[in-house]
Amino acid sequence: AHTKHARDGLRSFILLSASVDRLEEEAERAMLHKRLKPELRVENVGYEEFSRATRQRFQPGRETFFTALERQTLLYRILEGDRLGRGAGLDLDALVTRRVILEY
């Protein structure tokens, strides 16, 4: 995580990330449907449930393997996920309600 401070000096922003391995683990757990490479698409089927074993079948994002939306979704699942499933066990809405964080 990285912290950036707002110009007003009153707020801080926490930038979160996860390793590719952790994102892949969560993508499997979430049964994330990821876009296939163009040459592997058949008729109207362009997505398939992600699996690390078949990682090479999937279309990478522009800058990283997972698209920005996929990374956001997976990080959200990790933050709110059950600790037994390697999640952080947070309730982000409750943290906003209690004003621990302003938004996410």
Side-chain angles (χ1 to χ4, degrees):
H2 300 283
T3 304
K4 290 191 176 187
H5 301 284
R7 288 189 177 132
D8 62 15
L10 301 174
R11 295 173 293 155
S12 296
F13 301 92
I14 301 171
L15 307 172
L16 301 174
S17 63
S19 69
V20 173
D21 286 343
R22 182 63 182 95
L23 292 174
E24 288 180 352
E25 177 185 338
E26 192 61 34
E28 278 188 340
R29 180 175 285 117
M31 297 181 280
L32 176 79
H33 282 79
K34 184 152 179 64
R35 188 180 192 104
L36 293 166
K37 289 181 178 177
E39 64 271 17
L40 298 174
R41 296 177 196 155
V42 179
E43 296 179 17
N44 292 331
V45 179
Y47 289 81
E48 187 175 281
E49 192 174 297
F50 177 77
S51 165
R52 287 177 276 190
T54 59
R55 184 184 200 277
Q56 72 283 355
R57 295 176 51 81
F58 299 97
Q59 179 74 37
R62 290 180 188 221
E63 296 176 20
T64 61
F65 180 71
F66 290 106
T67 66
L69 178 59
E70 290 167 341
R71 288 192 313 273
Q72 289 173 8
T73 300
L74 295 170
L75 279 170
Y76 179 82
R77 286 182 51 86
I78 292 167
L79 289 171
E80 289 222 332
D82 187 293
R83 289 179 187 222
L84 293 175
R86 293 194 18 138
L90 299 175
D91 181 341
L92 296 176
D93 290 330
L95 292 173
V96 170
T97 299
R98 294 187 353 237
R99 301 193 53 79
V100 173
I101 60 175
L102 297 178
E103 59 186 308
Y104 60 93

